[in-house]
């Protein structure tokens, strides 16, 4: 068994109804050519099973028998959302570094070694590698274009070393001193446990399953001193298997997970306004405002394209509860205006 002093990377894996993919995820950690790893599994009140009817605990028990890697389990008695599952994992971790792995995704070979070597060599608080998009089904040409767009967004990496404010400027897309942009997903990256713990110490407990990467990575980049991008593929992203990536949202419970993105921005704006120790650069505050409006616009679009018509009145009420009625009305006005322009343009053609 590993002693804590030998641990280098804690792989933090939240699990919520993704048991179908869990063993693949765990096996990808076991198959890494890297020693000094521990796995932190957070069962976020998951009720799923794999194709053989095995639940979370049965899958993990079987995996443990075939694996020498230390596995810790944290169990939530109620579903708290992805942000809180990651918090639980971070404060259970014992290693110098932390990497986040969603349970429906998996690592390619060599991921942890490539990330670790880059972190040790550069002294970076954040190391980002490339992501390979793994489609779960055969897609149409339209879907392939969508995957290409996802690939472009997820693989936005800055290969020039970044320091201090340059890191958050790069993430926020602030045009300053020719700094390249990089993506704000927390997967596909390695972090020092120190900045993870510090970020969570400022974040209050919130239920959030969308927008959680944005709020969390905003805090990571705020506290980070060094960033390093590497050209190696370190993460396999399974497209359209997650809780919030489904095309049809046929229950209000599912819709609430979409609306919860508002919680992430509420937390950020409260920290910026009320926490004296958080001195967010003006350019970044403006960027957060732009992102906030974009996410709500996406929520409105998703409501009209993915929610059954009979649920839309209740879905809109829930959207207003989370975002505020005035803000929803303001963004709706812009949304319908743009939709009308697009429709008129199509008619003219």
């Amino acid at each position: 068994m590993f002693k804590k002093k030998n641990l280098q990377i804690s792989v933090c894996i939240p699990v919520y109804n993704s048991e179908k993919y869990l063993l693949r995820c765990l096996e990808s950690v076991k198959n890494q050519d890297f020693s000094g790893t521990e796995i932190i599994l957070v069962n976020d009140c998951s009720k799923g099973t794999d194709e053989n009817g095995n639940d979370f605990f049965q899958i993990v028990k079987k995996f443990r028998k075939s694996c020498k890697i230390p596995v810790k389990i944290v169990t939530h008695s109620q579903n708290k959302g992805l942000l809180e599952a990651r918090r639980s994992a971070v404060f259970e971790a014992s290693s110098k570094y932390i990497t986040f792995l969603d349970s429906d995704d998996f690592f390619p070979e060599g991921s942890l070694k490539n990330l670790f070597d880059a972190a040790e060599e550069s002294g970076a608080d954040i190391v980002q590698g490339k992501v390979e998009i793994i489609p779960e089904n055969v897609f149409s040409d339209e879907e392939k274009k969508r995957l290409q767009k996802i690939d472009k967004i997820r693989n936005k990496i800055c290969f020039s070393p970044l320091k201090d404010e340059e890191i958050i400027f790069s993430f926020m897309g602030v045009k300053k001193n020719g700094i390249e942009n990089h993506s704000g997903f927390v997967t596909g990256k390695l972090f020092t446990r120190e900045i993870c713990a510090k970020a969570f110490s400022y974040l209050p407990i919130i239920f959030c399953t969308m927008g959680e990467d944005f709020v969390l990575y905003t805090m990571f980049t705020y506290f980070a001193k060094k960033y390093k991008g590497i050209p190696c593929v370190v993460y396999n992203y399974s497209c359209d298997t997650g809780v919030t990536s489904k095309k049809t949202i046929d229950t209000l419970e599912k819709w609430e997970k979409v609306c919860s993105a508002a919680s992430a921005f509420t937390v950020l704006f409260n920290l910026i306004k009320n926490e004296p120790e958080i001195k967010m650069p003006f350019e970044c505050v403006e960027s957060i405002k732009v992102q906030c409006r974009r996410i709500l616009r996406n929520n409105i679009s998703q409501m009209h394209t993915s929610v059954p018509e009979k649920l839309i009145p209740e879905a809109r009420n829930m959207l207003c509860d989370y975002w505020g009625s005035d803000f929803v009305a303001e963004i709706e006005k812009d949304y319908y205006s743009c939709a009308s322009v697009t429709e008129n343009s199509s008619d003219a053609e």
Side-chain angles (χ1 to χ4, degrees), residues 99-241:
T99 189
F100 297 98
L101 175 60
D102 289 346
S103 52
D104 53 335
D105 299 332
F106 57 103
F107 287 140
E109 292 182 9
S111 296
L112 297 184
K113 187 177 188 306
N114 287 329
L115 288 167
F116 178 80
D117 288 349
E120 289 289 285
E121 180 184 337
S122 64
D125 298 299
I126 302 173
V127 177
Q128 178 184 0
K130 297 182 72 176
V131 174
E132 184 172 350
I133 309 300
I134 310 293
E136 291 294 315
N137 302 292
V138 177
F139 291 90
S140 64
D141 288 342
E142 183 179 347
E143 287 293 289
K144 288 178 181 177
K145 289 180 181 178
R146 186 177 70 88
L147 289 181
Q148 289 172 353
K149 184 177 180 181
I150 293 172
D151 181 84
K152 185 177 181 180
I153 293 171
R154 296 214 51 139
N155 281 307
K156 194 179 292 183
I157 302 175
C158 181
F159 293 110
S160 302
L162 300 172
K163 293 183 179 180
D164 302 322
E165 278 192 345
E166 292 177 342
I167 304 170
I168 195 168
F169 286 157
S170 171
F171 157 52
M172 292 286 184
V174 175
K175 305 296 182 183
K176 204 161 189 175
N177 301 327
I179 298 173
E180 301 173 72
N181 294 350
H182 74 277
S183 74
F185 296 95
V186 301
T187 51
K189 295 183 174 79
L190 187 73
F191 305 94
T192 57
R193 184 164 62 96
E194 180 182 359
I195 68 163
C196 293
K198 195 168 186 179
F200 273 114
S201 72
Y202 282 92
L203 292 172
I205 294 174
I206 55 171
F207 177 82
C208 183
T209 58
M210 286 194 72
E212 74 287 338
D213 274 37
F214 186 83
V215 65
L216 194 51
Y217 197 62
T218 295
M219 299 304 291
F220 287 169
T221 54
Y222 180 80
F223 291 117
K225 299 298 181 185
K226 289 184 180 179
Y227 163 99
K228 171 79 173 177
I230 59 175
C232 313
V233 176
V234 301
Y235 197 87
N236 288 326
Y237 171 66
S238 300
C239 194
D240 293 331
T241 58

Side-chain angles (χ1 to χ4, degrees), residues 284-312:
C284 294
V285 175
E286 293 302 300
S287 182
I288 293 170
K289 290 178 181 178
V290 170
Q291 181 73 356
C292 180
R293 296 175 70 89
R294 187 186 72 81
I295 293 296
L296 175 53
R297 193 180 189 283
N298 286 347
N299 282 181
I300 293 169
S301 175
Q302 199 168 4
M303 180 176 68
H304 289 289
T305 57
S306 303
V307 176
E309 189 173 351
K310 64 180 181 180
L311 290 180
I312 285 182

